[in-house]
Amino acid sequence: MKAFVSWSSGKDCMHALYHFLKNPENQAVCLLNMSGEGNGQPHSHGISSAMIRKQAARLNIPLLQKTTSRGDYEKNMKEAIARLKSEGVDAGVFGDIYLQEHRTWIERVCGEAGVSAVFPLWGKSTSGLMEQFITERFKTIVVSVRKEKLPKSFLGRLIDNNFLTDIHTFPATDPCGENGEYHTFVFDGPLFVDQVKITDMRKIFFSGMLLLFYVVVSFAQTPYKRIVSLAPSLTQSLYYLDAQDNLVGCTSYCMAAKEDKKEVVASAVKANLEKVIALKADLVLVSGFTDLQDIETLRKFGIKVEVFQSPKSFQEICGQFIRLGKLIGKEERARRIVLESEQKIKNISSGIKWGRKPRMFFQIGANPLFSVLPNTFMDDYMNFLGAENIAKTLKRGSVSREFVIAQNPDYIFIVTMGIVGKEEKDTWSRYSQLTASRKKQIHIIESDIACQPTPITFVQTMEVLEKIINK
């Protein structure tokens, strides 16, 4: 599901985003911030537009800010949603918990704009959500309080277990501040590339609330010196970014790192946490397949863990590569590699001309057969070649030979599976009624490059495919 996230920069929208992204099928296309700011002054939550932009940059998610007045709020929000819908967004994510009147309004506005409304936190215990948010290691500060609800001593406090204990002493106050008792700004956590550094603060009065207004002047730069990578593609990206000297641990499938005698701390599916901790790693890079319990254990030891979900497109591959570059102080190199890769892909795509759009079957497994599906980065190989994926309507990757035969692809590409790959090629070649077999267009592609989501290996795969097609 592609969605925008209604964004105020506080804990509830951040928590809703976090819950939404737990489903690997979901994608946060952008953060939508309806700002009431004017003349450089903060809106009623005490957060300036500039602060929200800095926060979004550290989350590495595009931000759409739309200035509005209270009277034009609904109109301007509908216009923003309509724009997002035209760009392929089909839902909006909201951090509401139990205010039914506000939910009804949101559902009406979204419905009239043609998108659905998603409420990941709806109906949950506000105390439970607070405890969960703290456990998930988000770092959040109170930026405003309603003075008739809470004392001014709550301004500037971090959201932690002590905060939760103290707010429970005010029985008429919701622990999450769902009734506007207080507002927050999240400056670090599991979704951040790096934390936002808060350097200056001062108190001001505004609209019956006592606000603590923070001026953010810089980002905290974490000097990561000892990196462990638990995903081969992330390890390879560190080499492309010339950051291998900081790599101290890898998986048994990280070939370049093993050749460099880097410590093996994980198999393909399971990490040896004792080894990771013993290496005194200050940054661990993991994929979306890493066990959540392992991630939380490492974070409890004070280790920064960055999660990179499986990219769904070449564009996402490039975005993640730049995110990694920012994280390790190699952003300029990452952006240069991405620009070069994008240009190479453009050149390959423009150089291929078809009389008729060919049909392709990209096989990534045998017994049972598995096909590359839409909304995956490997599907972009076919998209950029101007070809049609025979599995374009499927939701699951498992297919039968009968399905492939019925679809009659012009090309069959088999990702290398050792001797199995050759056996698969021989099997398909025996189906003389297949166009791919008749025209001898059944080919084996190296998995080391085709299945590796980095900008450079994506281009290498495209160059191999181009050479096969032009030949």
Side-chain angles (χ1 to χ4, degrees), residues 16 43 50 72 79 171 195 362 451:
H43 60 58
D72 290 331
E79 289 176 354
Q195 72 170 245
F362 221 107
C451 297

Side-chain angles (χ1 to χ4, degrees), residues 141-191:
I141 197 164
V142 177
V143 293
S144 69
V145 297
R146 190 170 294 281
K147 61 183 181 181
E148 67 270 21
K149 296 285 188 179
L150 290 170
K152 64 182 181 181
S153 60
F154 273 78
L155 286 171
R157 287 192 60 171
L158 290 173
I159 301 293
D160 55 17
N161 287 321
N162 290 330
F163 176 91
L164 194 55
T165 297
D166 291 346
I167 203 165
H168 277 305
T169 64
F170 296 86
T173 298
D174 183 84
C176 269
E178 182 74 345
N179 298 305
E181 293 92 337
Y182 67 94
H183 294 291
T184 60
F185 179 77
V186 186
F187 60 92
D188 198 9
L191 298 179

Side-chain angles (χ1 to χ4, degrees), residues 3-10 13 17 28-35 43 52 55-56 59 61-68 73-85 89 91-95 105-106 109-110 113 115:
F4 70 86
V5 183
S6 180
W7 201 253
S8 67
S9 77
C13 60
L17 170 64
V29 174
C30 81
L31 310 176
L32 174 58
N33 173 233
M34 302 297 293
S35 172
H43 60 58
I52 296 174
Q55 182 193 53
L59 290 168
I61 300 176
L63 174 70
L64 174 59
Q65 284 185 307
K66 194 169 181 64
T67 303
T68 185
Y73 191 95
E74 180 174 320
K75 171 178 169 290
N76 289 331
M77 186 171 183
K78 284 181 179 178
E79 289 176 354
I81 295 174
R83 169 184 162 184
L84 293 170
K85 179 176 172 57
V89 170
V93 176
F94 298 84
W105 178 81
I106 289 171
V109 169
C110 286
V115 302

Side-chain angles (χ1 to χ4, degrees), residues 338-394:
V338 165
L339 285 174
E340 291 172 355
S341 299
E342 289 175 336
Q343 186 58 52
K344 288 178 180 178
I345 295 297
K346 184 178 180 180
N347 292 342
I348 290 171
S349 296
S350 62
I352 295 177
K353 307 296 182 184
W354 302 105
R356 176 183 63 83
K357 191 173 188 178
R359 294 162 60 76
M360 291 183 178
F361 172 48
F362 221 107
Q363 180 181 339
I364 52 176
N367 195 28
L369 297 179
F370 270 86
S371 172
V372 165
L373 289 174
N375 200 32
T376 63
F377 78 87
M378 293 181 75
D379 184 53
D380 268 354
Y381 293 138
M382 289 170 275
N383 291 333
F384 291 139
L385 290 171
E388 179 182 323
N389 183 355
I390 67 167
K392 65 180 181 180
T393 62
L394 300 183

Side-chain angles (χ1 to χ4, degrees), residues 229-240 244 247 249-268 446-449 452 457:
S229 171
L230 301 183
S233 62
L234 296 173
T235 301
Q236 189 61 57
S237 292
L238 290 174
Y239 276 79
Y240 291 146
Q244 63 270 25
L247 181 68
C250 63
T251 78
S252 56
Y253 285 83
C254 299
M255 298 308 170
K258 285 176 67 179
E259 291 174 5
D260 275 353
K261 309 299 182 185
K262 303 294 184 182
E263 185 78 17
V264 174
V265 299
S267 66
E446 293 290 335
S447 61
D448 287 347
I449 60 169
Q452 195 89 276
T457 48

